[in-house]
Amino acid sequence: MRIYQAHDYNDLSRKAANIISAQIIMKPDAVLGLATGSSPVGTYQQLIEWYRKGDLDFCEAKSVNLDEYKGLGPEDEQSYSHFMHVHFFDHINIRPENTCIPNGLETDEEKECQRYNKVIASCGGIDLQLLGIGCNGHIGFNEPGIAFDKETHCVALSENTINANARFFASRDDVPKFAYSMGIKSIMQAKKILLIAAGENKAQALYQSICGPITPSVPASILQLHNNVTIIADEAALRIILKEHVILPGGHLK
Ligand code: GLP
């Protein structure tokens, strides 16, 4: 794991965008694993800016998203599909047929999970997976307690996650209770992983994920076993880690 401290959210977004940008430059047909939430918004904005300047070309790139609320379709403004269009896809030249998101409107869970696993396999696996982190250490919608060997599955969202995500909905009752999520197994099969975290409310989860035991109660702790993980976080998110450790220039903790 390599950990880098960002000065602020803009710096974090630029650093993350630089890593994604390098991936696309070195492998134009790369498969990007993409994330939603407030954390990656700045990263997408920066990538859009570089695309507009002519520095980046997504015409051969492919993407697979981590998750989608069950019951919400692309037309729903709270769906992750809508989020991806508004914040990223509609502003770059990625081909719509090369972007994949779980279908929240599919009621047959088994069918949708199998379809999505096939989608991931058919693009040859993920080259670079972008991740945010939930306050309870979830990645994608892999909630605490999830088995590490899961592929795509339908998840019952935890109270903690429903409360945290309620800010995007008119009321807490409007937050879907279930979601389709890429599983930990699929995330761990990505060749590279880039996790971004900003703000004090991520400090505990980040500390437990990086410095704590590897346990399903903190889903992101499994990342300690991946051989190519980069974490970019701001000072607030690193607060507890920085009480015990110093980050060396190479990104390792002392
Ligand atoms: C949601 C998403 C996660 C995301 C998390 C944190 O639950 N499913 O992929 O990492 O929220 O979101 P935010 O970046 O808004 O804090």
Side-chain angles (χ1 to χ4, degrees):
M1 259 185 188
R2 289 180 303 271
I3 301 157
Y4 300 99
Q5 183 174 346
H7 308 303
D8 53 29
Y9 182 71
N10 279 342
D11 184 40
L12 177 152
S13 302
R14 248 190 338 266
K15 283 180 163 64
N18 263 307
I19 291 172
I20 296 171
S21 165
Q23 175 69 63
I24 293 292
I25 290 166
M26 290 190 295
K27 189 178 178 203
D29 61 350
V31 179
L32 301 175
L34 298 179
T36 50
S38 46
S39 306
V41 170
T43 303
Y44 294 144
Q45 275 168 1
Q46 184 62 78
L47 289 169
I48 292 166
E49 199 180 312
W50 288 334
Y51 163 72
R52 285 185 177 146
K53 275 189 186 166
D55 291 341
L56 268 178
D57 185 356
F58 293 92
C59 77
E60 290 179 58
K62 295 185 188 125
S63 73
V64 282
N65 259 77
L66 279 171
D67 46 16
E68 178 61 283
Y69 288 113
K70 187 167 177 228
L72 302 192
E75 306 304 321
D76 196 306
E77 288 190 7
Q78 311 306 333
S79 72
Y80 283 166
S81 172
H82 189 266
F83 174 102
M84 289 309 298
H85 280 277
V86 169
H87 291 286
F88 198 34
F89 296 155
D90 291 354
H91 311 282
I92 58 169
N93 66 337
I94 195 163
R95 295 195 178 109
E97 64 271 27
N98 285 347
T99 66
C100 299
I101 300 179
N103 177 8
L105 294 180
E106 178 56 68
T107 51
D108 185 336
E109 295 172 7
E110 183 71 25
K111 184 176 161 199
E112 179 54 15
C113 294
Q114 281 187 14
R115 181 194 74 84
Y116 209 63
N117 288 336
K118 278 190 197 140
V119 164
I120 299 168
S122 70
C123 38
I126 299 164
D127 289 297
L128 175 62
Q129 176 66 56
L130 176 64
L131 294 177
I133 183 168
C135 301
N136 60 4
H138 76 243
I139 45 179
F141 266 134
N142 292 283
E143 295 281 25
I146 193 75
F148 284 150
D149 62 355
K150 288 248 185 209
E151 297 188 285
T152 308
H153 56 292
C154 184
V155 193
L157 299 180
S158 69
E159 286 296 306
N160 180 305
T161 298
I162 291 173
N163 291 337
N165 291 359
R167 68 191 195 276
F168 298 112
F169 292 79
S171 82
R172 189 187 180 282
D173 290 343
D174 291 334
V175 185
K177 307 290 178 282
F178 294 90
Y180 288 115
S181 181
M182 207 187 267
I184 296 281
K185 183 174 174 185
S186 323
I187 293 172
M188 287 297 280
Q189 282 170 345
K191 295 184 186 86
K192 290 176 227 159
I193 293 178
L194 170 61
L195 184 145
I196 52 178
E200 167 65 31
N201 61 341
K202 302 294 171 70
Q204 183 67 25
L206 204 57
Y207 173 74
Q208 289 179 313
S209 304
I210 296 173
C211 305
I214 299 166
T215 163
S217 357
V218 184
S221 64
I222 189 70
L223 299 177
Q224 293 177 36
L225 296 181
H226 193 284
N227 64 8
N228 195 335
V229 177
T230 302
I231 295 177
I232 302 174
D234 66 2
E235 195 179 345
L238 288 168
R239 188 181 59 79
I240 306 177
I241 295 173
L242 292 173
K243 276 187 190 170
E244 293 179 7
H245 299 276
V246 171
I247 303 174
L248 298 172
H252 298 290
L253 291 182
K254 190 178 152 193

